[in-house]
Amino acid sequence: MKNSNMKFTVILTLVGVILLAAIVIVVSKQTPEEEEIVRQEVDITGQPTLGEKDAPVTLVEFGDFKCPSCKAWGETIYPQLVEEYVLTGDVKFSYVNVLFHGDESVVAALGAESVYKQDPEIYWDFHKKVFAAQPEATSHDNVWVTSDKLVELVSEFPSINQEQLKQDVEQELTINQVSIDKELFTKHNVSQTPTIKINGITMEDPFDYEAIKEVIDRELEANKNE
């Protein structure tokens, strides 16, 4: 009887080892597509958005007009993204203000919201002009985002009321929208700028365009199969 029990125990042990080994092999062979994807969708209601409203993929940049890395992202990654995906109708791009660089970040955000409120079509031109006006890193700590500077930047846009822009900034008349942005970047635990989310998926490296393309293409393929 003892021998029978011993054999049964050995067999159970062997079966358990084999099953465990099989599980380890299956898990190790999982592809990235089979792994669980963590998503936290961003509510872009009321946010400046470029592209077709029904585009299947939404890319959100959490950025700060005072951030040198955001300026670099806008000059290198953004143009490729627009050319390859936004203009084709595959991706819509949205921007959320982050306020990591003190009062100037707030001033820039207030001004941007004023421009967006007055003329959404002009917003993206203004967006680029603010980043273009950002000084080199060596003088970055000097105050440069002021209401007067923002008025100067919109001077070539007839649809923007310069006096209204100045009031919106100095009297913080667009603070409600800026506060919504603050709630968003807090909710999404944004700790650095730029932070890029694609259909709620946070990119580890915002400057890895090949990784961005991979996620976008995967999301587009998944949308086709739905």
Side-chain angles (χ1 to χ4, degrees):
M1 187 69 175
K2 288 184 178 180
N3 287 338
S4 297
N5 289 338
M6 182 66 72
K7 289 180 180 179
F8 184 68
T9 301
V10 171
I11 291 172
L12 282 179
T13 302
L14 288 174
V15 170
V17 170
I18 292 171
L19 286 174
L20 180 61
I23 291 172
V24 170
I25 291 172
V26 169
V27 171
S28 65
K29 287 185 176 181
Q30 279 188 321
T31 64
E33 289 77 13
E34 293 174 319
E35 295 174 357
E36 182 180 358
I37 297 174
V38 178
R39 296 178 189 271
Q40 189 180 20
E41 299 284 354
V42 182
D43 182 2
I44 61 171
T45 304
Q47 299 297 335
T49 302
L50 183 66
E52 300 292 335
K53 63 179 182 180
D54 59 349
V57 175
T58 301
L59 188 149
V60 179
E61 176 191 359
F62 287 88
D64 188 325
F65 286 110
K66 277 278 291 183
C67 165
S69 293
C70 296
K71 174 184 172 74
W73 193 90
E75 293 173 345
T76 56
I77 305 300
Y78 172 80
Q80 298 180 73
L81 175 72
V82 171
E83 181 68 25
E84 293 190 49
Y85 291 104
V86 176
L87 295 180
T88 61
D90 292 321
V91 170
K92 56 179 175 287
F93 172 78
S94 191
Y95 185 84
V96 177
N97 293 296
V98 179
L99 314 172
F100 283 172
H101 292 272
D103 291 342
E104 286 183 88
S105 296
V106 177
V107 169
L110 289 167
E113 295 299 345
S114 175
V115 170
Y116 182 65
K117 178 179 67 175
Q118 293 190 51
D119 187 348
E121 296 299 321
I122 291 298
Y123 171 84
W124 296 105
D125 291 328
F126 174 78
H127 182 102
K128 288 189 287 187
K129 286 182 74 69
V130 176
F131 277 122
Q134 187 184 114
E136 296 300 321
T138 53
S139 58
H140 184 71
D141 290 335
N142 296 330
V143 175
W144 64 275
V145 183
T146 64
S147 58
D148 288 338
K149 181 62 177 181
L150 298 180
V151 167
E152 175 191 325
L153 294 178
V154 300
S155 60
E156 65 181 73
F157 304 129
S159 63
I160 304 301
N161 184 311
Q162 296 177 31
E163 185 58 34
Q164 183 63 58
L165 170 63
K166 192 174 180 67
Q167 288 181 14
D168 285 344
V169 172
E170 295 181 353
Q171 299 178 31
E172 298 190 349
L173 301 181
T174 52
I175 193 63
N176 286 343
Q177 187 58 48
V178 175
S179 296
I180 290 173
D181 287 6
K182 185 176 181 179
E183 291 174 4
L184 278 174
F185 72 71
T186 301
K187 174 183 177 180
H188 289 272
N189 299 312
V190 172
S191 59
Q192 65 178 21
T193 51
T195 287
I196 304 299
K197 282 181 171 285
I198 304 172
N199 280 358
I201 303 168
T202 303
M203 301 303 301
E204 290 186 11
D205 181 358
F207 287 92
D208 187 344
Y209 188 62
E210 290 306 311
I212 291 174
K213 282 172 58 69
E214 182 179 335
V215 173
I216 291 175
D217 291 342
R218 187 181 67 211
E219 292 296 298
L220 289 173
E221 187 62 31
N223 181 74
K224 291 179 183 177
N225 296 330
E226 289 181 353

